[in-house]
Amino acid sequence: MNVPKIVVFGKNVSEFKGDLLVAFVAADKKNKFICDDYVATVLKQFAGQADFEAKNDEQLLLYAPFSQDKAFLKASRLLLIGLGKKISRLKPEELFERLRVAGGNIAKVCKKNKLSEIGLWLPEVKGVEEAIMARYLVEGVGLGVYEFSSYKKKDEDEYQGLKKIALVNVSDEQVVTGEVERGLNNVRATQTARDMANEPGNRWTPTHFARFATDLANQYKLKCTVIEKGEMEELGMGGILAVNQGSHEAPKLIILEYSPAKPEKTIMLVGKGLTFDSGGISLKPAQGMMDMKYDMCGGAAALAAMEAVAREKPSVRVICLVPSTDNMNGGGAIKPGDVITHYGGVTAEIENTDAEGRLILADALAYGIEKYSPDFIIDLATLTGAVIIALGHHFTGLLSNNKTLTKALKDAASLAGEPVWQLPLHEAFAKQIKSEVADIKNTGGRPGGTITAAEYLHTFVGKTPWAHLDIAGTAWDYTSKSYIPKGPSGIAVRTLIEYIRKVGA
Ligand code: BES
Ligand code: MN
Ligand code: ZN
């Protein structure tokens, strides 16, 4: 994890002496630059050469001296970032994403040139608040500088990453600092989720999930409960226990609670914490199986979001449940044809042991609803390969039984730059998972695989407003963006935080 420290530098840009000063240039209708006078002077030197037109996504790196007026800037490099035309007429979500992408591009320059301290020279663009500008740029840079190198030998003089961002040309320090802190909370939580996901299956087990939650609870005075295997047996959590049968690692159900003084509503988050999915007896093919260490990304996203919740203290109660186990092939493993009983008594026939995510989520949903009576439930899971066929790596699948929640989540996702696409729930799909021998079965065949999986969960939430996010296509190999690294993306963390901020505002 590397979250750069943010300092407010004041107005006097010529005093900034760091490795790199970043200046932003927008363009007006007639392609004239909208920027500081000094930057305009610098740019005039290139007039006619069309090296830089301030288009969105365009950038130009210059080395000192930047112009005849040598004394003016003391930074050693000047990076000009194009913001494109009509920046003040963009929809909020478009503006935020443009700024994040710019931030990601800045992060790339930092990595390439091994820069540890940079200045962001905030431009004065009509219609765009400086605090918003600062917040989303910082978010983009912070998300973009992420790297996971825990298991690589380090040289002593190795680059330590970007350490400090100075915000230059700030008018209202208080407002900017407040907004930037939200951006940083998004960065911290997303980096945390990526860190968890990057840990391999042997180093991120249910025990590690539990330890993380306990530590977070101690640090921020949250309540943490870990339901261990013995208690699961007493409670009858047949889904989690079944998936765990072939494993040497004990399963855990991790519960983290944030309760403000007088909460009006309760949001319940449930994340799939499958620390490695071999498929079980319905074994997966060897190719690509390694990626199944990421099958805990839903749980990681839910827990990581709690970090931001704990820091920001919204006025809504948030309960986070992460059922966690791996899905292995030991002698006790469940077999196709086995029948299990979920928490609350619903029986299920196991048709395919690789459809295990829904089994552990079902217990957590049923238990959470009974225990916490939530007003809204959001579950997150790398649940089906089918969602990749449907939506590629560009959209998270959203399925819900409630219009209000759907709208709110879509809005939050769009502001977060994490697009979701809704798929239907329908009785016809629920029929596909009717079983001859039990109440339901755990697969509905290949057709509509994402939807039948959601219908399985639907059985356990009934009428409680609920939304299911299938992040199998977006939790890693996510659509390419400057601020998304290779490997786990930390998807849905920022959507959750955004959503909770709105409800708890
Ligand atoms: N964790 C997988 C889903 C998955 C597959 C996520 C590929 C990301 C990439 C899940 O447990 C699973 O194996 N689902 C099966 C369900 C099927 C057996 C009904 C699937 O999608 O193939
Ligand atoms: Mn599976
Ligand atoms: Zn799985």
Side-chain angles (χ1 to χ4, degrees):
M1 169 122 70
N2 174 26
V3 181
K5 190 171 146 40
I6 309 296
V7 296
V8 171
F9 189 78
K11 287 265 178 199
N12 195 353
V13 65
S14 57
E15 289 307 309
F16 181 79
K17 297 193 187 81
D19 301 324
L20 175 76
L21 180 63
V22 185
F24 300 88
V25 189
D28 71 6
K29 264 187 270 171
K30 293 178 189 143
N31 286 329
K32 267 183 60 184
F33 296 133
I34 306 173
C35 58
D36 180 90
D37 287 349
Y38 179 75
V39 176
T41 318
V42 171
L43 279 167
K44 255 194 210 120
Q45 303 172 117
F46 303 103
Q49 288 173 290
D51 267 313
F52 182 80
E53 295 170 57
K55 283 186 193 148
N56 182 29
D57 232 5
E58 200 181 3
Q59 66 189 54
L60 182 64
L61 181 61
L62 302 168
Y63 291 82
F66 312 114
S67 78
Q68 308 293 327
D69 184 2
K70 288 180 195 169
F72 186 67
L73 292 180
K74 298 192 183 68
S76 44
R77 298 176 189 77
L78 178 64
L79 176 65
L80 302 180
I81 297 275
L83 290 176
K85 283 188 198 174
K86 295 188 187 159
I87 173 117
S88 52
R89 304 230 316 260
L90 297 175
K91 292 185 194 148
E93 65 268 26
E94 293 168 338
L95 172 67
F96 301 167
E97 183 67 1
R98 193 171 287 195
L99 294 171
R100 263 185 228 110
V101 170
N105 287 332
I106 296 166
K108 284 190 175 166
V109 173
C110 294
K111 272 189 193 172
K112 182 161 177 256
N113 296 291
K114 301 189 164 52
L115 307 181
S116 55
E117 187 183 336
I118 65 167
L120 299 183
W121 185 0
L122 300 176
E124 292 166 29
V125 183
K126 230 173 56 198
V128 183
E129 289 166 47
E130 60 170 2
I132 292 294
M133 193 80 113
R135 169 178 169 179
Y136 289 97
L137 284 170
V138 165
E139 183 170 308
V141 177
L143 293 172
V145 294
Y146 178 82
E147 245 167 23
F148 183 80
S149 56
S150 300
Y151 301 117
K152 281 190 171 166
K153 188 162 153 262
K154 286 189 185 55
D155 295 332
E156 261 171 38
D157 54 352
E158 202 168 282
Y159 173 51
Q160 298 292 311
L162 180 65
K163 287 288 157 224
K164 195 159 136 191
I165 301 177
L167 300 173
V168 186
N169 192 25
V170 169
S171 297
D172 192 331
E173 183 165 341
Q174 212 185 341
V175 177
V176 168
T177 314
E179 280 293 333
V180 165
E181 191 52 29
R182 288 170 173 238
L184 283 177
N185 284 341
N186 285 0
V187 170
R188 290 185 187 104
T190 306
Q191 290 206 10
T192 300
R194 290 174 185 171
D195 276 349
M196 291 183 200
N198 269 313
E199 291 292 348
N202 63 335
R203 292 174 189 256
W204 197 266
T205 63
T207 305
H208 293 84
F209 259 131
R211 200 174 297 154
F212 175 86
T214 314
D215 290 349
L216 200 67
N218 288 337
Q219 194 181 346
Y220 292 102
K221 300 204 181 72
L222 308 176
K223 186 175 172 200
C224 180
T225 316
V226 178
I227 299 185
E228 306 283 351
K229 186 175 176 183
E231 202 182 343
M232 287 180 189
E233 283 162 353
E234 283 161 30
L235 290 164
M237 295 185 165
I240 308 178
L241 289 166
V243 175
N244 183 252
Q245 271 173 220
S247 175
H248 280 296
E249 290 285 340
K252 293 186 196 293
L253 173 58
I254 294 120
I255 306 176
L256 204 50
E257 299 178 48
Y258 161 78
S259 285
K262 281 185 192 142
E264 277 177 21
K265 300 275 184 218
T266 297
I267 298 173
M268 183 167 106
L269 309 177
V270 182
K272 173 177 174 183
L274 213 293
T275 55
F276 184 77
D277 183 10
S278 74
I281 297 300
S282 314
L283 191 64
K284 285 183 183 295
Q287 211 200 355
M289 201 203 272
M290 201 168 87
D291 281 351
M292 284 301 125
K293 68 181 172 189
Y294 300 141
D295 210 16
M296 35 57 73
C297 283
L303 271 184
M306 292 303 280
E307 187 182 348
V309 169
R311 293 176 76 101
E312 294 186 8
K313 305 192 176 7
S315 67
V316 56
R317 186 163 80 127
V318 188
I319 314 284
C320 172
L321 288 87
V322 179
S324 184
T325 173
D326 49 10
N327 183 20
M328 300 297 286
N329 314 62
I334 43 166
K335 306 168 289 295
D338 285 1
V339 173
I340 65 165
T341 305
H342 278 294
Y343 181 83
V346 175
T347 59
E349 181 187 13
I350 306 303
E351 196 170 74
N352 188 321
T353 65
D354 197 11
E356 84 298 337
R358 62 201 77 183
L359 304 182
I360 69 170
L361 290 169
D363 281 353
L365 287 165
Y367 178 78
I369 290 170
E370 188 183 295
K371 175 113 186 167
Y372 300 103
S373 315
D375 298 283
F376 306 104
I377 306 170
I378 302 170
D379 84 73
L380 309 101
T382 46
L383 203 62
T384 65
V387 80
I388 310 175
I389 307 303
L391 303 174
H393 294 289
H394 312 302
F395 286 80
T396 291
L398 163 72
L399 299 99
S400 175
N401 61 358
N402 182 277
K403 283 200 176 132
T404 317
L405 179 56
T406 298
K407 165 91 172 55
L409 259 188
K410 279 182 181 169
D411 288 349
S414 141
L415 290 174
E418 301 183 321
V420 297
W421 196 264
Q422 192 176 6
L423 299 170
L425 289 169
H426 193 277
E427 174 56 28
F429 295 94
K431 262 196 194 155
Q432 285 178 234
I433 55 166
K434 291 247 159 76
S435 163
E436 303 275 317
V437 302
D439 297 333
I440 48 176
K441 58 181 177 180
N442 78 334
T443 67
R446 275 170 61 82
T450 300
I451 306 175
T452 52
E455 285 293 358
Y456 192 96
L457 304 179
H458 196 182
T459 314
F460 297 86
V461 297
K463 294 238 170 354
T464 312
W466 155 75
H468 160 63
L469 296 175
D470 193 333
I471 57 172
T474 49
W476 67 96
D477 288 344
Y478 183 41
T479 199
S480 119
K481 298 189 192 198
S482 63
Y483 63 88
I484 303 287
K486 282 207 185 100
S489 60
I491 199 81
V493 172
R494 290 178 301 110
T495 299
L496 288 179
I497 301 174
E498 201 61 45
Y499 169 76
I500 294 167
R501 278 181 188 139
K502 281 269 155 60
V503 178

